[in-house]
Amino acid sequence: MIPPAFDYVRPATLDEAVRVLSDAGEDAKVLAGGQSLLPLLRLRLAFPELVVDVGRIPGLRGVREEGGTLVIGALTTHHDVIHDPLVRRYAGLLAEATETVADPAVRHRGTLGGSLAHADPAGDLPAVALALDAELVAVRPDGRRTIPARDFFADYLQTALAPDEVLAEVRVPGREGWGFRYEKFHRVAQSWAMVGVAALVRRDGGHIAEARIALTNMGATPLRAAATEEALAGAGDAGAVARAARSAADGTRPSRDASASPEYRAHLARVLTERAVLAATGTR
């Protein structure tokens, strides 16, 4: 389909982008890699009066380490996230999950920041950011602010970003030595996750000392499986993991659509959580 008419601007700097967005108000949309916004425009599901292309602003791409924290520029592509040695060392869960995003063409153009700002609950990376306790740094006219991932995803396709803010970077605490796994179920290759589970596990003395479990597509936003996280503390065998996974869907509100019922999604959440945790602990 042909998208609706809109004005287009490509700021040269981050400060310029913020000024343009501030002037435009809620009538503007930010374009990064284009893998989320462009389909919405073609399907006429978005009607911005102005598209602000931040794709060539310098300084918003790349990965660095600051005192054990990974700092990933919002324009860093999925391809670069997957292959970056710092990401693979300190946040292997992010690299593994990003490998499952769509197809190679999308991974070469799509960006980490764009995926998080799009906030699709069926997207893989919002749940991963939640499991990793990531922080998202937004730039606005009066400076910067840091938003924890738990506060960033507000509702379906909605975030805590204000209309005059640009997501600049994602900060991820290093989890070197933690076990991890991203499991997802989808009907066909390269499609959105029907359900996904991001699991992070720290073991001590053969038992799980700490676990972080986040769910994809089990509500309007990514969710932490708090009951399962609590039940996994001290688990030392596959039976204990299986029992803990039974509560993975507690407190969730999965949708009903042509792909699955809420009951089936809840079943998938339990099954995939068990698989993810067993893989993360090396017992599968």
Side-chain angles (χ1 to χ4, degrees):
M1 295 181 64
I2 299 173
F6 55 82
D7 291 327
Y8 170 88
V9 63
R10 179 186 288 169
T13 67
L14 188 53
D15 288 343
E16 182 186 353
V18 170
R19 286 198 301 271
V20 169
L21 288 171
S22 181
D23 292 340
E26 297 185 0
D27 296 324
K29 289 287 188 181
V30 173
L31 174 67
Q35 302 307 295
S36 299
L37 179 60
L38 292 182
L40 291 180
L41 293 174
R42 287 198 299 267
L43 293 171
R44 296 200 168 217
L45 296 176
F47 296 86
E49 294 185 7
L50 176 67
V51 170
V52 182
D53 185 350
V54 300
R56 297 190 182 182
I57 293 178
L60 296 184
R61 181 170 297 187
V63 182
R64 67 183 188 276
E65 180 193 359
E66 290 183 357
T69 296
L70 285 181
V71 182
I72 308 173
L75 290 183
T76 305
T77 65
H78 300 319
H79 175 271
D80 289 346
V81 167
I82 292 166
H83 296 284
D84 188 275
L86 287 174
V87 176
R88 300 189 75 86
R89 178 179 177 183
Y90 292 108
L93 175 64
L94 177 59
E96 181 176 88
T98 305
E99 287 184 297
T100 74
V101 171
D103 54 38
V106 170
R107 293 194 291 270
H108 275 81
R109 290 287 304 170
T111 65
L112 173 61
S115 179
L116 298 179
H118 184 52
D120 192 323
D124 302 294
L125 303 187
V128 173
L130 191 62
L132 287 168
D133 289 327
E135 295 182 329
L136 296 94
V137 179
V139 176
R140 55 186 180 179
D142 60 353
R144 295 185 169 221
R145 70 175 178 127
T146 299
I147 310 167
R150 64 180 179 272
D151 299 326
F152 185 78
F153 304 103
D155 205 339
Y156 181 74
L157 300 183
Q158 297 180 32
T159 72
L161 287 172
D164 60 352
E165 291 182 321
V166 175
L167 181 60
E169 62 189 32
V170 181
R171 303 180 67 89
V172 180
R175 303 288 182 191
E176 189 176 14
W178 285 55
F180 59 86
R181 182 70 172 180
Y182 185 69
E183 290 275 350
K184 78 175 180 179
F185 184 85
H186 45 188
R187 293 185 303 156
V188 295
Q190 304 170 0
S191 67
W192 298 99
M194 192 178 295
V195 173
V197 176
L200 272 171
V201 174
R202 182 175 62 84
R203 302 187 76 192
D204 185 13
H207 292 76
I208 295 175
E210 190 176 0
R212 287 174 168 80
I213 311 295
L215 307 175
T216 295
N217 213 8
M218 287 296 290
T221 66
L223 301 168
R224 288 277 286 269
T228 294
E229 292 177 347
E230 182 177 351
L232 283 170
D237 56 45
V241 170
R243 289 190 292 273
R246 292 172 189 165
S247 59
D250 290 2
T252 65
R253 299 184 65 183
S255 63
R256 178 185 301 273
D257 55 28
S259 298
S261 66
E263 294 78 14
Y264 185 54
R265 283 196 163 91
H267 167 72
L268 286 174
R270 292 187 286 268
V271 171
L272 295 179
T273 296
E274 181 180 354
R275 290 180 185 175
V277 174
L278 289 175
T281 58
T283 56
R284 176 183 136 189

